Structure formats: structure tokens, C-alpha cells
Amino acid sequence: MRDILEELETRRGEAQLGGGQDRIDAQHAKGKLTARERIELLLDEESFEEFDMFKAHRCAEFGMEEIHYPGDGVVTGWGTINGRLVYVFSQDFTVFGGSLSETHAEKICKIMDMALKNGAPVIGLNDSGGARIQEGVASLAGYADVFQKNIMASGVVPQISVIMGPCAGGAVYSPAMTDFIYMVKDSSYMFVTGPDVVKTVTNEVVTAEELGGAKTHTSKSSVADGAFENDIEALSEIRRLFDFLPLNNRDKAPVRPFYDSQDRLEPSLDTLIPENPNQPYDMKELVRKIADESDFFETQADFAGNILTGFIRIEGSTIGVVANQPLVLAGCLDNDASRKAARFVRFCDAFEIPILTLVDVPGFLPGTSQEYGGIIKQGAKLLFAYGEATVPKVTVITRKAYGGAYDVMASKHLRGDFNYAWPTAQIAVMGAKGAVEILYRSELGDADKIAQRTSDYEDRFANPFVAAEKGFIDDVIMPHSTRKRVARSFASLRNKRLKNLWKKHANMPL
């Protein structure tokens, strides 16, 4: 018996060493943690239960029959984050460069199947050189199996990807189908084809960082939702994000203790909107003053800054926030902002997270680049997402809500539950100057007449009362009472029940 126990301990020790101490040291020299160290930091202490520690590849070609490492380049299992169940896989770059083999894929698929059966999120820590070349099509088949699991899990359990090293070729498509992607600055990158292939095919000279680094994917491509300085910060922030999310689409997000009064008033909000209607202000100030303890977890902060998305809590419950940001492009909706917000709204709706929309939008950004980029369909994505959403929706218009953008931003007409406006709100087809120049084109030569017409238009429409008279605004509220009114609204909607007509799925404007 003692011999068997000793063999077990020996085998466990070998598996925990991955590719060996030299390769572990090389990993550390790059400023990266090992696969197991990452799991230890991500999960609650001593909560990790590992699967398939001894599983090895079956390849017998190109000398592979002589080389076996227990676990085959990925550590899989389950554990808890703040006591809540989660499944995790962590690719081990010290074993065959973390490359994906048939058995490597089987291990990932196994925990994804368990996550679906038990209704728990999946977090993938990616650090892989791609498909294992020695296995050929078997490796590619493994990728496709993982992709299919991602697709089936989408909208059922939250999926989070953390890119902590290379992620290239077919490997990128699994993270791309998850709900959130985070990267580590200077040590992670994603691309379909690497710099050498790009140079051969297109004659472009580009570095791996320029082609697929964290800055590229957080600020240009929008592939990633954020980037962190190092592995430790990344895993700490993923724990924070996890706390905002439900375990599955039939569960509610956790209600956390809060120390902030529902009735808290914020007198400073009464002066948030500048006297000059063209002067910007920071919408994040409003978001934080509505949130419990001013805690705001922003997503895609470096992309499409003219719209804010992220999570707050109100009375301890998770709320998704979408807000125009007047500091960037005056808060206009453009192609990037529409896509960013639409995806976020659809995530919230899939997982029963109520949505708060803060509106200050002068319209859609004009220009040939926007039209050529498909602003019609891009804007329709956000419109479709809001109209399809059945979760509680509360909207507050702080200043401008012009044209079609008024409709798109969670208006009453898209089944908004509570639609409020501040007294400073201006709800109209367009601004007074533009409207007058169209309505009274024949009088453009008379400056005094045009000034009077503009003043008349502003008196009539540069306020929230016409919309309120028609019932499109439920109430005009004082800015300082915004948290109180929003909190009471969401509290009254906790038992909301709304179902769309049965369909296999919608055909949204992709």
C-alpha cells in the first residue's frame, strides 16, 4: 500500500512540474506566472479540484511517442471565487508551448460540459502557441470541438477569457466567442496570422505587439475588453468582474452587502450640466454618484470612448450601465459605439442583468467614413438589442436626445420601463439652429428673424416637457434625486416578467 501511495505522490509531483523547472524559470523570467500559479491566484485558497492531471497525448509520430508530460499542456478543474462555483482551464506554456492537442482539447471540453450541466461560468487562461503541428488534423478537430462548446454555452453560462501569452491562428476563435476577453500588457497577443505571414502575403512589416498586442485589441479592434499590467492584476480584476455576474442564465447576480443609502441625494448633480449646451462634462461622475460606494467596473474603456459600458451595483444588486460620454465626440453614436453598446446590452439581457441608460446624445455622427462603415446597420444593432431586451430598463435623459439617437437609446418606444428626464433635457428631432435653418430657409438673410425663430424653437422643444406631455417621459426629476429615483425604479421591477414571441432565433443586423 505504501508503495502505491508513494507512486501517487511521485506522479502528482511530476504533473505539477509541467515541463520542468528550467521551463518554469523561463516562464518567470518573462514576467509570467505558471498555469498552476495563475489558478491559485484566481480561485479561493485551497478550493481548486483538478481533473485529468495524468492525461497524456496519444500521438506516436515525429518522435512524440518518446515525450509525454502528465496533463498534456493544460490544467483543468473547478473551484470557487468568493465561495461561488466556477470551472477553469489554464494552458501551460512550459509543456509543448501550451499547444493544443486532441487530449488537451478533450480536457477543456470536459470541464465545459460540466459547467453547462451544473450551471457555472467558465474562465479560460490562454497561453498557447496554437495547434500542435505533430498531430495535424486531430489538433484542428480538437479546436473545432472547443468552438462548438463555446457556441452551446453562449448565453447559458458566462464565459471569460484571459489572454496571458500568445494566442494565434485558430486559437483566437474560442476567446472571440466568449463574453469577455482580457489581456496582459507586453506579454500577450492575439492574431489570426503572425507578422511573418503578413510580411510574406502583403509585404507589410509589423511587430507582434503592433499586430495583436493589448493596445491594438483594446483601442483599435475592440477584440479585448481591457488590459492589465501583469498576471497578478489581471487575475485580481477577473475576480472582481466575476462578482458582478450570475452563475448562469437561470440565476440572479449575487446581492452583495452595501453601505450606501438608497435615498442618498447628490446636490452636486444639480450643477453637473454646464450652462453652455455645447460644453462637455464627464458622464462617469453621474455613473459613480448613482452607484453603491461609487464602484464602477468599466468594460472596453479604451475603445469608442463616446459611450460608456460597465457594471455598478444599486442596493447591492448588479446593474449594467450604458451611457453617452459628452467628453468624446460630444457623445455622438458612431459605428464603434453602436457595436460596443449593442454587444453589452445583449450580454446583460442574456443573463437577466437590469440595464440603466444615461442619455446625452446629439445624434449619429455624420460623414462618409460612417456611412461607408455601415452606420445604418451598426446603429440598428443597438436599436435591435434594446428592443429585444426583456430585462428591467431604466433610462435617464440628462441633456440632449436628438433625432433617431433618442429612439435608439432605450426610449419608451423600445419598451423602456421607467424613462426619466432632468429639467435640462432637450428632446427633439434636432438642435434649434439646424431645425430653424430648414423650416425657415427663406428667412436666412434676416438675422433678427432667424434669432427669434431659434429662440421660439428652443422655448418649445429645448426641454423635456413636450415628451412628458405625450407620456414618452414618465417624470421630470431633479438631478440630485437621481440615485433615489433609479434605485426605487429597479426595486419595483425585481419581479418583472416579459417574454418575446417564440422563435428559433432572431435575424439581427449583424
Side-chain angles (χ1 to χ4, degrees):
M1 183 67 176
R2 185 176 298 166
D3 291 344
I4 294 172
L5 295 178
E6 287 177 358
E7 182 182 357
L8 174 59
E9 288 305 309
T10 300
R11 284 177 174 264
R12 283 188 182 277
E14 289 175 0
Q16 289 167 353
L17 269 178
Q21 192 60 50
D22 288 346
R23 291 180 183 173
I24 291 173
D25 292 342
Q27 184 86 340
H28 288 162
K30 296 174 187 173
K32 295 163 64 177
L33 300 176
T34 65
R36 293 179 183 279
E37 289 168 342
R38 289 165 175 165
I39 289 176
E40 286 176 14
L41 280 175
L42 176 66
L43 302 181
D44 296 338
E45 189 174 358
E46 296 185 359
S47 73
F48 182 55
E49 296 283 346
E50 186 171 351
F51 291 131
D52 297 325
M53 177 184 280
F54 306 116
K55 192 162 187 171
H57 71 77
R58 308 183 191 100
C59 182
E61 298 178 82
F62 302 101
M64 290 293 288
E65 67 275 10
E66 305 294 332
I67 312 170
H68 289 89
Y69 292 98
D72 202 30
V74 64
V75 182
T76 61
W78 65 274
T80 60
I81 294 178
N82 290 328
R84 300 169 70 226
L85 178 65
V86 63
Y87 288 83
V88 62
F89 69 85
S90 181
Q91 292 179 315
D92 187 351
F93 196 77
T94 70
V95 176
F96 301 121
S99 59
L100 185 135
S101 67
E102 182 182 16
T103 50
H104 183 128
E106 287 173 356
K107 290 181 66 174
I108 294 173
C109 289
K110 180 175 180 176
I111 62 133
M112 293 186 75
D113 282 336
M114 296 193 74
L116 287 172
K117 281 191 286 189
N118 295 297
V122 178
I123 299 178
L125 309 180
N126 295 263
D127 189 358
S128 168
R132 193 169 300 170
I133 298 171
Q134 295 93 326
E135 294 201 14
V137 72
S139 175
L140 299 180
Y143 269 130
D145 290 338
V146 174
F147 300 159
Q148 186 64 49
K149 300 297 182 187
N150 290 132
I151 294 164
M152 301 316 294
S154 182
V156 180
V157 296
Q159 300 178 81
I160 301 172
S161 297
V162 192
I163 314 302
M164 311 189 81
C167 184
V172 299
Y173 291 114
S174 176
M177 288 185 286
T178 61
D179 299 302
F180 296 99
I181 301 175
Y182 287 92
M183 299 182 72
V184 179
K185 295 176 183 177
D186 302 321
S187 64
S188 67
Y189 53 84
M190 301 175 73
F191 39 65
V192 175
T193 53
D196 293 340
V197 176
V198 169
K199 184 178 180 182
T200 300
V201 176
T202 70
N203 214 28
E204 294 174 278
V205 177
V206 63
T207 65
E209 185 65 29
E210 292 167 338
L211 184 62
K215 185 175 181 181
T216 296
H217 286 312
T218 54
S219 63
K220 294 181 182 179
S221 72
S222 82
V223 165
D225 293 275
F228 304 110
E229 295 296 330
N230 52 54
D231 286 10
I232 295 171
E233 184 189 9
L235 296 167
S236 173
E237 286 298 294
I238 294 304
R239 285 179 61 94
R240 183 172 162 233
L241 170 62
F242 183 87
D243 267 355
F244 283 98
L245 307 180
L247 294 181
N248 57 68
N249 62 354
R250 295 179 179 272
D251 198 10
K252 293 284 187 182
V255 178
R256 295 301 185 193
F258 63 99
Y259 308 94
D260 206 344
S261 171
Q262 176 207 62
D263 297 330
R264 171 167 55 80
L265 302 179
E266 281 288 347
S268 63
L269 292 180
D270 289 342
T271 55
L272 178 65
I273 304 298
E275 291 287 335
N276 181 347
N278 297 316
Q279 185 177 335
Y281 60 94
D282 189 357
M283 188 64 87
K284 286 185 188 179
E285 182 178 344
L286 175 55
V287 173
R288 292 196 173 101
K289 286 180 176 176
I290 292 173
D292 290 351
E293 288 88 38
S294 300
D295 185 21
F296 176 39
F297 188 97
E298 188 174 358
T299 61
Q300 291 202 313
D302 297 326
F303 180 76
N306 42 325
I307 203 158
L308 307 174
T309 57
F311 300 105
I312 62 172
R313 289 190 184 89
I314 295 179
E315 293 191 283
S317 295
T318 299
I319 304 291
V321 175
V322 178
N324 304 115
Q325 173 57 291
L327 287 177
V328 181
L329 295 176
C332 275
L333 286 176
D334 63 357
N335 291 322
D336 291 342
S338 298
R339 283 193 298 113
K340 170 182 170 179
R343 178 161 172 78
F344 183 78
V345 167
R346 283 175 68 81
F347 173 82
C348 290
D349 188 50
F351 290 101
E352 290 296 323
I353 297 172
I355 301 168
L356 170 64
T357 306
L358 304 174
V359 183
D360 186 352
V361 60
F364 284 92
L365 186 66
T368 55
S369 66
Q370 292 299 307
E371 295 295 348
Y372 297 166
I375 188 65
I376 295 170
K377 276 205 169 183
Q378 305 292 3
K381 289 177 184 177
L382 182 54
L383 172 64
F384 196 103
Y386 269 126
E388 186 183 44
T390 60
V391 294
K393 293 181 284 191
V394 176
T395 302
V396 180
I397 301 173
T398 62
R399 189 165 63 177
K400 297 174 182 174
Y402 288 164
Y406 153 72
D407 287 323
V408 169
M409 291 298 295
S411 62
K412 178 63 72 177
H413 324 286
L414 298 181
R415 303 191 297 186
D417 294 299
F418 286 86
N419 291 71
Y420 295 128
W422 285 4
T424 48
Q426 304 171 20
I427 306 169
V429 175
M430 61 177 65
K433 184 174 182 294
V436 166
E437 288 175 354
I438 291 171
L439 292 173
Y440 303 102
R441 190 172 296 143
S442 62
E443 299 176 6
L444 288 178
D446 190 329
D448 292 338
K449 268 192 176 182
I450 290 297
Q452 184 59 49
R453 298 288 194 190
T454 302
S455 178
D456 292 344
Y457 191 92
E458 286 175 346
D459 291 342
R460 178 60 177 148
F461 291 110
N463 61 67
F465 300 111
V466 174
E469 288 166 7
K470 296 182 181 298
F472 302 154
I473 295 297
D474 295 305
D475 197 5
V476 180
I477 65 174
M478 293 299 290
H480 66 253
S481 68
T482 303
R483 172 179 161 87
K484 176 181 176 181
R485 299 299 295 272
V486 167
R488 286 176 58 82
S489 298
F490 280 123
S492 75
L493 293 167
R494 283 176 189 152
N495 294 318
K496 176 184 176 183
R497 295 289 181 269
L498 176 63
K499 286 188 177 181
N500 293 327
L501 295 174
W502 185 91
K503 62 185 84 170
K504 186 175 181 181
H505 59 73
N507 185 21
M508 72 174 296
L510 292 173

